[in-house]
Amino acid sequence: RRLCSQAAAAAAASSSASTSATSAAEAQKFASLADSWWDRAGPLQALHSLNRLRVPLVRTAASFARGPAGLADAELVDLGCGGGLLAEPLARLGVRVLGVDPVAESVEAASSRRQQSAAAESGIADGRLTFRCQTVSELAADRPAEFDLAVASEVLEHVDNWPEFLRSAADLLRPGGCLVVTTINRTAASYWLGVVAAERLLRLVPPGTHDWRLFIPPDQLRRRLADCGLETRLTVGMRLNPLTGRWAWSRDLSLSYGLVAQKLPAAGTH
Amino acid sequence: ANLYLYSRVLPQWQATRCASAFCFRRSLSSTAGLNSDDVDVAIVGGGPVGLAIACSLASGGDGNVATSSSSRKLRVRLLEAGKLPSSQPAAAAAAPDGSFSNRAVALSPSTVAHLRRLGAWNDADPRIAPVRGMRVVESDSDAALTFDAAQIGGDVSGEGALAYVTELAPVVSRLVGQAAKAGAQLRDGCRLESIDGDNSFDRQPFLHLRLTNKSSLRTRLLIGCDGFSSPVRKLAGIEAVDVPYPRHKAMVATLEIDGPDGLNGEAFQRFLPDGPIALLPLPGRFASLVWCSKSDRISHLIKTSDREFLADLNRCLATGPAPAAPLVTAVQADSRASFPLGFMHANRYASGRIVLAGDAAHRLSPLAGQGMNLGMEDAACLSRLLLEAASNGADPADPAYLLDYETQRQRQVVPVAIVNETLGWLYSLPPDSWLTAPLRWARTTGFRLTNTFSPAKEFLRRSATTGRIDLL
């Protein structure tokens, strides 16, 4: 319910179409899930099991962006990090992760878990995992071209103005850096299976999580990325088995899919 | 200095100049003595299963030290209550020709491939015998089930053997060497006494282990590979179906077979009403015996003279109308020993931050020689999943991966256990009773049919050699 005060003020002050891409309704949805982020058997369990695909995808992006150096000591920003489900395992692998989210409750959940884990020596060195309550566009203004990797996982379909979001994400990357996106395609299949079946029948995700109208087809996404100077290097489908709760890679892009796009170096350099 | 460990070390260890196997001495002195220190994975049990897991996890893969910097190396410590053998199989080299340990195992080709990947298998070892054929017979009919290596095309190791018979000690020695080389910390004379606090993944980031030598250890994951009476299973509170067979026992011995080539690479097994008797080929004229029978009979056979033992043995081997059985001419001195029998299957293989593998999770009768092979498959499956968890930045005890291990392994182990124990029961039916006649007829008919129905036989052969049951 509470967007960060800075973000709300910026949105109010702006005269153009909202710089805060997340609507209040979406923010409320996530605020009410604040206690469920780290309940592995709870309503967000599909996000936990998605890490088995997301982490290797980020690792692939790191090999594009940094070659053999890979993930070790990479600077990564997790856009829309929620409770830090993806940020934490990446930090354990030696990545320097900054998690940002405009929903204060999510950032609180992530920070307090980080404090608990720090007390219990979770294997993450100090300073490698930090969380901030901020919007993407603000962060892009603060820290342009500072990151090797940016991740927007299961985020774009919750955002009203995703082209604007992508532009800010592109600004955060240094030349040669990579953006990793996972989101859901807008097809008949994703309506019947991804929304109706998943939310209402099988309860794989909490009901009302997704608005089908906000889903994004991959070719539209790739076009917008190209507009921002990001060249798509890899697109893969992802499929959830409703019985086992396990995700698997798929050639079929009609439901969930993941994508890695690289920021082209400045003109004249290679 | 850690005197508690040194005081238990045998004199011959101190004389051994194998520095690499004892590199843990240096790491011990750099930690805070007997105080608590942290590891990612603690393994209780220094048998082949525990050592194989230690080797895989410490090396980050198949015996090669992981070079990827983005994978976290797991800190692995193995605790063994008894003595760990030296990593030099000196005992085997010193053994006179013509003498084999009575602890021999028949390893499936997939287990051998696994050991090869860990660097713990020596293909050129002359003390390993490939099993090129198998003959299984009953005692009250002439039905026989035969497997012939010549019929096999392209099994896992590509060498056309059904199995490989080897003494257990050299395999364990090599695994000790490889595990130490990979960076696993090996501690013997260490027994787990208790676990402080909760065994819960969410509420506790570590398990606090207390050892009998008053030291303590914090670990993220505890793997119990400590045999069928597994203290770790009991500490985890995991219930099990536990059925000891007090009236039956098994014995082992090393034998010499008539003829210049002995068994010539063919394993022989006969089902008797008291229990099966099996001969596994060893190199040359030698064979390894596994004989299951009534407890008092086995006790008598262990103590009796060589002559009487051989006469009894040959009589049992030749029982029944089935074609000629091998003739045993001698038994190696001091090689007769017995062990108890029973069936056990744990209801869960994983609970909280504790997981079970090998005999700690499942114990079968030695009817089909599957016990160690199932345990090594457990080790391979668990290692693979834990390495995936590490490469995904997950906590080693992440329940998603442990649940995957349990599901995958139970799917393989439970059918084998059911078939194994049912077969044992079918063959223990009294042969003279008319009440059991229909069952015995069905059993014999099934036996004959399996021998003639190639898809069934092929299924059995493939399952036993690859270690996986795939119905498709």
Side-chain angles (χ1 to χ4, degrees), chain A residues 45-75:
Chain A
Q45 58 179 290
L47 272 183
H48 280 277
S49 61
L50 189 55
N51 278 347
R52 282 170 100 159
L53 293 191
R54 295 195 283 185
V55 174
L57 190 60
V58 173
R59 180 179 273 119
T60 303
S63 71
F64 291 153
R66 305 176 79 230
L71 287 173
D73 292 315
E75 293 281 347

